[in-house]
Amino acid sequence: MDEHPYKGIWVYGDLRNERLFGLSLNVVAKARELAQALSGKTTVVLLSGPSSGKPTSSPGLSAHQAAELALAHGADFVYLLESEQLISPRADIYGAALAQAVGTKNPSLVLFALTEFSRELAARTSRICNAGLISECVDLRAEGTKVLATCPAWGGDVLAEITFADGSRVGFATLRAQAFQALEARGAPGSIERIPMNNIQASERLQLVSSSPERPESVKLEDAATVVVGGAGVGSAEGFE
């Protein structure tokens, strides 16, 4: 990637619900750190229906709400990709739209908070762009004009450092968002650009049958502030006391 001019870092903003968008904001903090090291800008990319203000899917965030949150948490720009085809989250259609925008705007790096949906979305988009994808990063850092990713391997026994091949036009990466903390810092210039997406090339052989919100749970393990673990030596549940 070091042979090409630096054109900034994108973060995919997940609008499906507030918790998932919060993970995206965690990734924005890392993207901002990298962009500053590389003298670039950070952009959050949102995919939504036309400018109606309605969320992509209940109980999701509206694009307007998400854009303001992104700008308040370090994004310098927000690109709002709009189309009737983007009202319901589908990795195949989102991937085609995102790849189309990448081809037009030419970012250097596109980041995703690691979820089941974004894992598929990142894979589809990188394949369409014929670009490299580094999965499940626990850290990213700039070294000169290169971006190096730290990723667990061999069941977590080894931490591998991975980068993109020289000459890569754009790279993609999924990040374990819990490794980062969202920050409160206004992006500069803090602007929003609406981009109508026309003629998104979606597969005619795929059809959305149904979708529904995830059932709420009292506490999600990945969202807990403190996690207590114990081995066989604890003996029983009482041992945790």
Side-chain angles (χ1 to χ4, degrees):
M1 296 180 75
D2 55 341
E3 296 180 4
H4 292 265
Y6 183 73
K7 296 182 180 178
I9 295 177
W10 286 11
V11 176
Y12 165 69
D14 195 333
L15 299 180
R16 289 176 296 159
N17 62 44
E18 292 184 14
R19 182 183 71 84
L20 293 171
F21 190 71
L23 298 179
S24 301
L25 294 180
N26 288 359
V27 175
V28 171
K30 172 53 67 172
R32 181 181 171 91
E33 176 187 315
L34 282 174
Q36 290 176 340
L38 296 165
S39 301
K41 294 290 186 179
T42 304
T43 299
V44 170
V45 183
L46 306 174
L47 290 84
S48 175
S51 306
S52 60
K54 64 183 178 182
T56 53
S57 62
S58 179
L61 292 172
S62 73
H64 174 74
Q65 288 174 310
E68 290 301 324
L69 283 171
L71 295 178
H73 288 80
D76 301 304
F77 300 97
V78 172
Y79 291 158
L80 179 54
L81 312 186
E82 296 182 326
S83 170
E84 289 285 350
Q85 292 175 270
L86 300 175
I87 291 177
S88 296
R90 279 181 49 176
D92 58 323
I93 298 177
Y94 274 30
L98 191 54
Q100 184 177 323
V102 166
T104 301
K105 295 290 189 179
N106 297 313
S108 291
L109 186 62
V110 184
L111 305 179
F112 303 77
L114 181 61
T115 64
E116 291 301 321
F117 181 80
S118 66
R119 178 185 280 114
E120 180 180 355
L121 176 58
R124 285 181 175 272
T125 311
S126 63
R127 177 61 188 90
I128 296 170
C129 295
N130 195 28
L133 168 63
I134 303 176
S135 300
E136 301 195 29
C137 306
V138 295
D139 196 17
L140 293 171
R141 76 176 196 276
E143 188 171 283
T145 57
K146 285 182 175 289
V147 173
L148 273 69
T150 302
C151 307
W154 295 97
D157 293 335
V158 175
L159 288 177
E161 283 199 337
I162 304 174
T163 191
F164 299 98
D166 290 344
S168 298
R169 182 180 63 82
V170 60
F172 293 78
T174 58
L175 283 73
R176 296 185 179 182
Q178 291 84 358
F180 314 106
Q181 183 65 47
L183 54 83
E184 294 185 7
R186 188 74 183 179
S191 63
I192 300 171
E193 180 180 349
R194 298 183 180 277
I195 305 175
M197 303 298 294
N198 301 314
N199 302 317
I200 300 172
Q201 299 299 313
S203 173
E204 296 180 355
R205 292 183 290 179
L206 295 176
Q207 180 180 354
L208 178 64
V209 176
S210 66
S211 65
S212 59
E214 181 182 33
R215 287 181 296 181
E217 298 176 6
S218 56
V219 177
K220 282 186 172 291
L221 179 63
E222 60 267 31
D223 294 334
T226 303
V227 178
V228 180
V229 298
V234 173
S236 66
E238 290 71 23
F240 279 97
E241 298 178 2

